[in-house]
Amino acid sequence: MRMKRKGILIVVSGFSGAGKGTLMKQLVHVYDNYALSISMTTRSPRPGEVEGREYFFVSRETFEETIAKDGLVEYACYCDNYYGTPKEYVERQLDQGKDVILEIEIQGALKVKEKFPTALLLFVMPPSAGELKKRLVGRGTESIEVIEKRLKRASEEAEGIEKYDYIVINDQLNECVLRMHALIQSAHDTPFRNEEFIENMRKELEAYR
């Protein structure tokens, strides 16, 4: 009998405006074997935010103790507050067979890959640069100057895409969700993610020599 399948840590990156947030929420909504990673932060909860749902809210002292104990998959400091991904939470979800989705930028994604070699790196892209600009403008929430900065940032990020396992073109949302799910399920069957199963099979086959 095949042993219980362990979850995969899925790192999703992409240009601002590529729709990765919407894509991940839809993936979690449609399929029940995914869990969105919950970050730990030192900032105060905002109205409506719930401990353990939006974030794990902790003191600066607790966060720095967690860093010292290597208890984070990755972390960064923004506007004098720490944000990071708790390793214990991620590993617990993975052990339960959940595929854990972590949204993070390129440099952080590559660091996660160093700590979790079996992590699956997906880069979400729009069908064209013109479509990316159209989506950013369509939000109606940012000035032209900010949009231009985001497009410049996208140009810089485009240099690191080859380091990812797969690109995911986000054109039609529902089709994209199906493709992403199929890629993740295929990744479960790669040999290096099934080394324990393969080794057990080899040991059992020794009896037939």
Side-chain angles (χ1 to χ4, degrees):
M1 182 182 292
R2 186 166 181 176
M3 58 193 67
K4 182 182 177 182
R5 186 175 80 166
K6 187 174 181 179
I8 294 177
L9 178 60
I10 305 149
V11 182
V12 178
S13 305
F15 308 132
S16 176
K20 55 188 179 295
T22 302
L23 181 58
M24 290 186 294
K25 286 177 183 175
Q26 184 68 4
L27 190 71
V28 172
H29 175 71
V30 174
Y31 302 100
D32 61 5
N33 60 299
Y34 295 108
L36 289 176
S37 175
I38 301 173
S39 294
M40 178 186 289
T41 184
T42 56
R43 78 160 172 77
S44 300
R46 292 171 183 159
E49 290 184 333
V50 177
E51 164 71 19
R53 188 181 69 187
E54 279 79 17
Y55 288 97
F56 296 115
F57 297 98
V58 300
S59 67
R60 192 176 188 88
E61 181 183 12
T62 298
F63 198 106
E64 290 177 346
E65 286 175 357
T66 307
I67 294 173
K69 294 175 181 176
D70 192 30
L72 296 169
V73 175
E74 53 78 37
Y75 71 94
C77 190
Y78 297 104
C79 302
D80 296 326
N81 282 306
Y82 281 121
Y83 296 83
T85 305
K87 187 185 292 185
E88 182 183 354
Y89 172 80
V90 168
E91 291 181 336
R92 186 168 68 249
Q93 296 293 323
L94 295 175
D95 288 340
Q96 291 173 0
K98 290 278 188 180
D99 293 327
V100 180
I101 305 173
L102 171 61
E103 180 185 343
I104 194 170
E105 45 76 39
I106 286 182
Q107 295 304 317
L110 298 179
K111 289 179 181 177
V112 171
K113 187 74 170 179
E114 291 176 6
K115 283 192 174 184
F116 288 80
T118 60
L120 178 68
L121 270 55
L122 304 177
F123 197 94
V124 178
M125 302 175 69
S128 68
E131 177 62 22
L132 179 64
K133 183 175 182 179
K134 180 182 175 182
R135 290 179 186 178
L136 287 170
V137 172
R139 285 175 172 178
T141 58
E142 296 165 333
S143 66
I144 294 298
E145 290 77 16
V146 172
I147 290 171
E148 287 176 351
K149 285 181 180 178
R150 293 194 182 280
L151 290 170
K152 182 182 178 182
R153 174 68 175 163
S155 175
E156 296 167 355
E157 289 176 331
E159 297 300 318
I161 297 173
E162 294 85 353
K163 296 177 181 177
Y164 281 67
D165 296 301
Y166 295 102
I167 61 169
V168 180
I169 310 300
N170 187 13
D171 191 359
Q172 297 298 323
L173 178 63
N174 291 335
E175 290 180 11
C176 190
V177 168
L178 288 171
R179 286 201 308 276
M180 182 178 273
H181 177 66
L183 287 173
I184 295 167
Q185 296 313 300
S186 295
H188 272 283
D189 295 323
T190 54
F192 80 93
R193 292 189 177 92
N194 291 276
E195 290 178 348
E196 187 177 354
F197 172 73
I198 293 169
E199 188 57 33
N200 284 344
M201 177 66 74
R202 285 178 177 146
K203 288 177 180 177
E204 289 174 5
L205 288 172
E206 285 290 328
Y208 297 105
R209 284 199 176 188

